[in-house]
Amino acid sequence: MTALRMEHITKVYPNGVVANRDIVFDVAVGEIHALSGENGAGKTTLMKILFGEETATEGKIFIHGEEQYIHTSQDALKLGIGMVHQHFMLVPSLTVTENIILGIEMRKGLSIDYTQSKKLVQEYGEKYHMYLDPDAKVKDLSVGQKQKLEILKVLIRGAKILILDEPTAVLTPQETAELFTELKHLRNEGFTIIFISHKLSEVRELCDHITIIRKGESKGVYALADITDEEISQKMVGRDVELTIARSEGKRGKTLLKVENLSVLEEGGKPRVDNVSFNLHEGEILGIAGVEGNGQSELVDVITGLGNFQHGSVLFQNKPIKYNHVKEIREAGIGHIPEDRMSIGIASNLSITENLLADKTRWKEFFGKNGLLIKQKIRSFSAKMVEDYAILCRDPEVPISSLSGGNIQKVVLARELSSKPQLIVANQPTRGVDVGATEFIRKQLLSMRDAGGAVLLVSSDLRELFGLSDRLLVMYEGKFAACITDLTSIDEQGLGRYMLGLDTQDTEMVMRNAQ
Amino acid sequence: MTVLSTIFSFQFVDMWLRVATPLIFTSMGAVVCERSGVVNLGLEGIMLSAALMGVLGSAFSGSLFIGLLSGLAMGLFLSAVFAYFHLVLKANEVLCGTAINTFAGGFTVFMLEIVTGEKGTSASIKSMAFPTVDIPIIQHIPVLGQLLSGHNLLTYFAFIMVGVLWYLLYKTPIGLRIRAVGENEHAIHSVGISVTKVRFLAIMICGVMASLGGMYLSMGYLNMFVRDMVAGRGFISLAANAMGHATPVGTMLSALVFAFFDGLSNILQALKIPSEFVQMLPYAATIVGLVLYSIQRINAVKRHKAKSFA
Ligand SMILES: Nc1ncnc2c1ncn2[C@@H]1O[C@H](COP(=O)(O)OP(=O)(O)OP(=O)(O)O)[C@@H](O)[C@H]1O
Ligand SMILES: [Mg+2]
């Protein structure tokens, strides 16, 4: 029995972008159905049409066999369709309960009936194994808890068809595992789930069928049992994708970055980074593994000059790195691919070209002697970048915010690498990025290493860490729990134990290997 | 020490509350607007227009109630115009607010002249005024009676409205929606509620409050309309809202602080201090208040950062 059928959907945005072209999308009751495709393929657009946030230019929607006209999300909710968006739609200063009841408030006289509401939140939490403190403020929740809250919100509104748009992009592996157990529970209770993800392993673990779209067109529906990962990525990207990247032995050169006894304390004096030391050499990719929030972000902030530190020293080519001296740090040759690309990676209202030039405002070749823009040179530079990095856009002058996530990340990468850094600090470089672009970004990092540069790679994707790192440090509660020099000596399980603090290596040995 | 003895007199308390009343009304409107994510710079103009229409309505009908309705109607009309341009036509809110203020400045003088033939005041027509209220029993208690009793009806109403708006914002569904839409409008939109409707309602509530603030000036504080009589009170209300973190009680306290300096400047004028200096005091207090507020907010952000690391 089909839960929903979208027939011949075409969507043209007002700016002329054709996001969906004649797509047919069919989902059976009680299945988890994957929707996959490159960044910008039109997945979110298709789901927004189903949820009534966008209207299709052409096409029909059938819910449980009956044709329906969905104009607003209210219509969709009435039909039992709920959506958890790619970005959280929560109000941080309100409580869990308040966020959930927003729009469906139960009343007692004129007031909201909070007692009744909290009870409802607790009931649903227990029923679907998603327990949350009803009185907790949303801003105090972890990312995983926020995700649960979003799902609860949808369930309480009576949705039977759940759309989850890249729910795992921001989750740690542990949180993802937990989410999957919950989703399987829901499926067993008869819910229909549409699951969007760029990670094929996740799709394979969770889903029954996959619909693949490329450049707004459907490339077919497959049972996951009948299709290999290679075939899926081939259909998504339109060419063969290397899922595991061939890499040569690195040639380790002289020390580039020297971190000694570094501590970062929070205001109360509690250490976020706790007396760590390590060296990073030319021609080396040093991976940093760890469950998010164990000091990785603070470490990255110190090295890129964005965060302060209280003890120890950081030397880059024997010169100390100082807090807030970002300009000097960049000029010395450190590039940064930040974790949060939307807020600190780019200026979203500016064009691709302007974003590419953001770190090059002192380059004589673009700004001449009298400080005026040399348009011609700039134009040819950005045209070359767009071509070299295969940035999908109409032209380089469009605002960067109109690009899809993966293409925005490519712009950041192009900007950072074109400044020819000797060290690049890459924090979650392929999060939310499609397989094709992921392959591309990883290759770029590797070729930078092969050319004698250094990479500090922070990632929550264990496969990425295994695939790229020459050495791997595992952070747990601000310290290094392990330093792995031979990556073939350990598997994901073993690494997971260090990440959770269940195992730790001998401190002496970590110190020695980290040098 | 005449200043101190004047400050600690009942007359001063009386004046303090008189000056505070319009600020409390209007700043409560600013609170509701701000919570919904709209900065309404047009408060000044709404106050001024309502002040005039209240006077004209009551003078021509001979009924205070009709006067009240005319003032409210004027305020709601201007608020609706603001809302239409800002919410529907997506015009910049600062521009919309400024346009309302500029319009009101001209419109009130124009209307005044058409109706009374004068450009300065409405002294030639007889406006109704909101009465003062003597509270039974309490008025006879020494000290307390002098402090609490005998104020203008609207003064009591202003304080009541602080409680009403607190209840509205924190206890009712519509308040929850207003607070949510101001912080993350996508959150509201994604659960199927119209962002525009919620904001429109907030702007209209704000319009009612600012109209009451304006009418108090011309039908309570004075008993006539005077050209440009609002004199920056709309902006001071916005400042009070900012300093009070857009919470009803905090904003009321801030409004009382500003009113205190305003009252003080009235007293000091009697002394040999240059009057220009004295008149500057309430505004200087506003600036100092805003600076203090910003410092406090920066510290709060730091604290929050430290906490979110934990
Ligand atoms: N509001 C909009 N106005 C104009 N164009 C848009 C809008 N939203 C998306 N697009 C364009 O439509 C296309 C499809 O975007 P969509 O967000 O559906 O992609 P996606 O498959 O969800 O990608 P990702 O994996 O990066 O989330 C892209 O080219 C994008 O630039
Ligand atoms: Mg998307």
Side-chain angles (χ1 to χ4, degrees):
Chain A
M1 200 175 87
T2 67
L4 71 101
R5 179 173 171 81
M6 298 178 80
E7 251 178 29
H8 306 296
I9 300 287
T10 296
K11 170 72 190 178
V12 185
Y13 276 112
N15 62 358
V17 173
V18 185
N20 291 160
R21 185 177 280 132
D22 198 22
I23 288 189
V24 176
F25 184 56
D26 235 321
V27 180
V29 171
E31 73 160 334
I32 305 185
H33 194 112
L35 183 60
S36 287
E38 283 182 289
N39 292 121
K43 306 179 291 293
T44 300
T45 303
L46 188 67
M47 290 303 103
K48 280 188 176 165
I49 292 171
L50 181 57
F51 190 56
E53 289 188 343
E54 296 282 354
T55 21
T57 318
E58 264 170 57
K60 291 179 180 164
I61 300 175
F62 298 86
I63 306 294
H64 298 297
E66 266 177 64
E67 182 166 6
Q68 302 286 356
Y69 299 91
I70 306 176
H71 296 294
T72 64
S73 23
Q74 199 99 61
D75 296 344
L77 287 166
K78 271 195 210 118
L79 291 167
I81 303 168
M83 177 159 179
V84 175
H85 289 79
Q86 201 163 350
H87 309 285
F88 290 131
M89 301 279 174
L90 299 171
V91 187
S93 76
L94 300 186
T95 65
V96 165
T97 307
E98 287 173 321
N99 267 281
I100 287 182
I101 60 173
L102 199 55
I104 48 165
E105 301 90 353
M106 283 171 283
R107 288 156 207 254
K108 196 165 73 187
L110 287 174
S111 323
I112 296 173
D113 188 345
Y114 277 110
T115 337
Q116 221 27 55
S117 309
K118 281 182 204 165
K119 217 187 268 166
L120 186 80
V121 172
Q122 261 156 343
E123 260 167 37
Y124 268 78
E126 267 154 40
K127 187 164 163 202
Y128 297 112
H129 309 273
M130 283 186 248
Y131 186 77
L132 290 170
D133 175 7
D135 290 319
K137 290 254 162 75
V138 165
K139 62 177 178 227
D140 298 329
L141 299 184
S142 72
V143 179
Q145 287 170 319
K146 285 184 192 162
Q147 191 70 261
K148 276 187 207 172
L149 173 55
E150 287 280 27
I151 297 175
L152 268 185
K153 243 168 91 178
V154 168
L155 291 176
I156 286 185
R157 285 173 169 69
K160 283 286 172 192
I161 300 172
L162 268 58
I163 306 167
L164 305 179
D165 195 352
E166 297 196 36
T168 58
V170 288
L171 298 188
T172 63
Q174 290 74 16
E175 287 169 334
T176 303
E178 203 177 314
L179 174 70
F180 282 10
T181 329
E182 287 150 8
L183 293 184
K184 285 174 188 165
H185 253 293
L186 289 175
R187 171 178 56 190
N188 297 342
E189 304 220 341
F191 285 85
T192 306
I193 299 172
I194 301 168
F195 178 79
I196 302 182
S197 169
H198 289 294
K199 296 183 190 151
L200 297 185
S201 58
E202 291 180 357
V203 168
R204 207 164 271 291
E205 182 187 338
L206 198 62
C207 303
D208 309 296
H209 289 91
I210 180 170
T211 295
I212 300 173
I213 53 180
R214 177 167 88 232
K215 298 206 169 117
E217 286 175 47
S218 171
K219 294 290 160 191
V221 191
Y222 305 89
L224 275 152
D226 306 340
I227 188 168
T228 65
D229 283 0
E230 282 74 17
E231 283 168 313
I232 296 176
S233 27
Q234 204 275 339
K235 288 196 173 15
M236 285 197 306
V237 186
R239 63 178 166 83
D240 288 324
V241 178
E242 294 169 44
L243 293 177
T244 44
I245 294 164
R247 56 195 287 267
S248 56
E249 257 326 292
K251 282 193 294 291
R252 202 202 245 208
K254 52 180 202 297
T255 305
L256 211 51
L257 181 78
K258 197 170 181 62
V259 175
E260 271 182 338
N261 305 97
L262 180 74
S263 291
V264 178
L265 307 180
E266 62 180 47
E267 221 150 82
K270 203 169 144 249
R272 305 292 306 151
V273 175
D274 196 355
N275 195 21
V276 302
S277 306
F278 67 91
N279 289 345
L280 177 53
H281 311 87
E282 288 177 346
E284 182 180 47
I285 297 184
L286 177 61
I288 306 246
V291 176
E292 239 160 285
N294 275 283
Q296 302 96 313
S297 306
E298 289 80 3
L299 181 64
V300 164
D301 282 352
V302 168
I303 296 173
T304 50
L306 299 175
N308 207 348
F309 56 101
Q310 281 71 30
H311 299 295
S313 65
V314 182
L315 297 176
F316 180 65
Q317 295 180 318
N318 294 321
K319 284 199 248 7
I321 278 179
K322 292 196 204 111
Y323 171 51
N324 253 340
H325 288 225
V326 179
K327 180 181 131 209
E328 286 80 3
I329 291 170
R330 281 187 168 272
E331 278 169 359
I334 297 184
H336 183 199
I337 301 176
E339 175 179 21
D340 184 354
R341 57 176 164 256
M342 296 316 273
S343 68
I344 71 168
I346 57 162
S348 55
N349 294 328
L350 300 188
S351 71
I352 299 175
T353 306
E354 287 162 329
N355 271 286
L356 284 171
L357 285 182
D359 65 335
K360 302 180 179 61
T361 51
R362 292 182 194 82
W363 285 29
K364 286 277 172 287
E365 50 177 306
F366 297 135
F367 294 89
K369 278 194 214 66
N370 42 21
L372 295 181
L373 308 179
I374 306 174
K375 280 277 182 193
Q376 216 173 354
K377 289 242 177 78
I378 292 176
R379 219 172 290 139
S380 65
F381 167 75
S382 65
K384 185 168 175 335
M385 286 295 128
V386 164
E387 194 185 316
D388 287 359
Y389 288 82
I391 298 163
L392 200 76
C393 64
R394 235 183 14 210
D395 77 82
E397 301 309 318
V398 300
I400 193 165
S401 56
S402 71
L403 300 188
S404 72
N407 283 299
I408 290 176
Q409 188 73 332
K410 283 189 201 168
V411 175
V412 175
L413 191 78
R415 180 185 67 217
E416 297 299 320
L417 292 185
S418 60
S419 293
K420 306 245 167 3
Q422 281 168 293
L423 164 66
I424 190 131
V425 180
N427 198 353
Q428 313 287 359
T430 60
R431 172 178 280 174
V433 169
D434 67 52
V435 281
T438 296
E439 175 202 27
F440 178 82
I441 291 171
R442 290 180 183 166
K443 275 189 175 159
Q444 290 294 321
L445 293 178
L446 270 176
S447 68
M448 174 167 164
R449 171 197 82 148
D450 293 340
V455 178
L456 185 70
L457 173 69
V458 181
S459 179
S460 53
D461 184 337
L462 299 189
R463 284 197 181 183
E464 176 163 284
L465 287 170
F466 274 107
L468 294 181
S469 314
D470 296 301
R471 271 189 308 158
L472 191 56
L473 284 164
V474 188
M475 270 190 112
Y476 178 69
E477 295 195 334
K479 292 196 181 65
F480 293 139
C483 178
I484 294 144
T485 46
D486 176 11
L487 282 146
T488 55
S489 70
I490 188 169
D491 59 6
E492 289 190 16
Q493 249 63 44
L495 192 62
R497 292 185 64 83
Y498 286 127
M499 287 169 59
L500 293 173
L502 299 173
D503 289 341
T504 35
Q505 283 180 349
D506 174 54
T507 329
E508 286 290 306
M509 190 167 95
V510 175
M511 289 276 271
R512 204 163 353 98
N513 288 337
Q515 293 310 302
Chain B
M1 284 304 91
T2 48
V3 175
L4 275 187
S5 60
T6 338
I7 289 180
F8 289 110
S9 69
F10 293 121
Q11 286 94 319
F12 183 76
V13 173
D14 195 52
M15 169 163 40
W16 185 13
L17 291 180
R18 274 155 51 87
V19 178
T21 303
L23 295 184
I24 292 176
F25 271 127
T26 309
S27 62
M28 286 307 120
V31 166
V32 176
C33 249
E34 162 119 8
R35 276 306 177 90
S36 79
V38 177
V39 176
N40 191 344
L41 283 188
L43 292 176
E44 190 87 6
I46 297 174
M47 286 175 87
L48 191 65
S49 310
L52 175 68
M53 293 315 277
V55 166
L56 295 185
S58 68
F60 282 98
S61 64
S63 145
L64 179 62
F65 184 67
I66 301 283
L68 175 71
L69 288 187
S70 337
L72 285 178
M74 185 67 207
L76 284 173
F77 170 71
L78 283 184
S79 301
V81 170
F82 175 89
Y84 178 72
F85 276 91
H86 175 48
L87 299 178
V88 181
L89 302 181
K90 309 277 177 223
N92 179 295
E93 58 192 339
V94 174
L95 286 183
C96 295
T98 311
I100 299 254
N101 293 343
T102 318
F103 165 79
F107 167 77
T108 47
V109 175
F110 178 68
M111 277 298 279
L112 192 63
E113 194 182 3
I114 287 186
V115 176
T116 69
E118 281 177 59
K119 281 185 177 177
T121 72
S122 69
S124 62
I125 56 173
K126 187 165 171 356
S127 166
M128 299 271 152
F130 290 96
T132 52
V133 179
D134 291 320
I135 310 175
I137 305 175
I138 290 183
Q139 64 168 318
H140 298 300
I141 304 174
V143 186
L144 205 63
Q146 277 161 299
L147 279 178
L148 294 184
S149 183
H151 300 294
N152 191 286
L153 178 65
L154 285 187
T155 303
Y156 295 107
F157 193 56
F159 284 98
I160 293 171
M161 282 316 281
V162 175
V164 170
L165 285 184
W166 178 86
Y167 181 84
L168 177 91
L169 278 177
Y170 295 105
K171 297 288 163 196
T172 66
I174 183 64
L176 180 65
R177 292 175 190 191
I178 288 177
R179 285 183 295 144
V181 81
E183 207 174 321
N184 182 0
E185 58 180 279
H186 302 296
I188 280 279
H189 183 68
S190 74
V191 293
I193 304 174
S194 158
V195 173
T196 309
K197 272 188 201 154
V198 176
R199 291 220 165 113
F200 182 77
L201 189 69
I203 292 172
M204 295 315 264
I205 293 173
C206 176
V208 170
M209 300 308 291
S211 305
L212 287 171
M215 279 187 278
Y216 173 80
L217 287 175
S218 60
M219 301 162 77
Y221 190 82
L222 295 181
N223 207 355
M224 61 178 168
F225 178 83
V226 179
R227 168 185 191 156
D228 291 333
M229 72 188 311
V230 175
R233 286 186 178 84
F235 292 109
I236 294 180
S237 300
L238 281 175
N241 155 63
M243 205 161 88
H245 293 226
T247 59
V249 175
T251 302
M252 176 192 76
L253 294 177
S254 309
L256 283 171
V257 170
F258 290 139
F260 178 84
F261 283 100
D262 209 352
L264 194 63
S265 74
N266 285 347
I267 295 175
L268 293 180
Q269 265 168 23
L271 303 177
K272 283 204 186 66
I273 304 170
S275 67
E276 287 81 4
F277 178 82
V278 171
Q279 281 162 359
M280 184 187 79
L281 270 183
Y283 304 98
T286 309
I287 292 175
V288 172
L290 283 178
V291 170
L292 288 179
Y293 164 70
S294 310
I295 293 174
Q296 184 194 357
R297 197 152 80 165
I298 291 168
N299 287 341
V301 169
K302 275 191 197 149
R303 263 199 309 276
H304 180 70
K305 254 195 193 154
K307 220 169 74 190
S308 63
F309 271 138

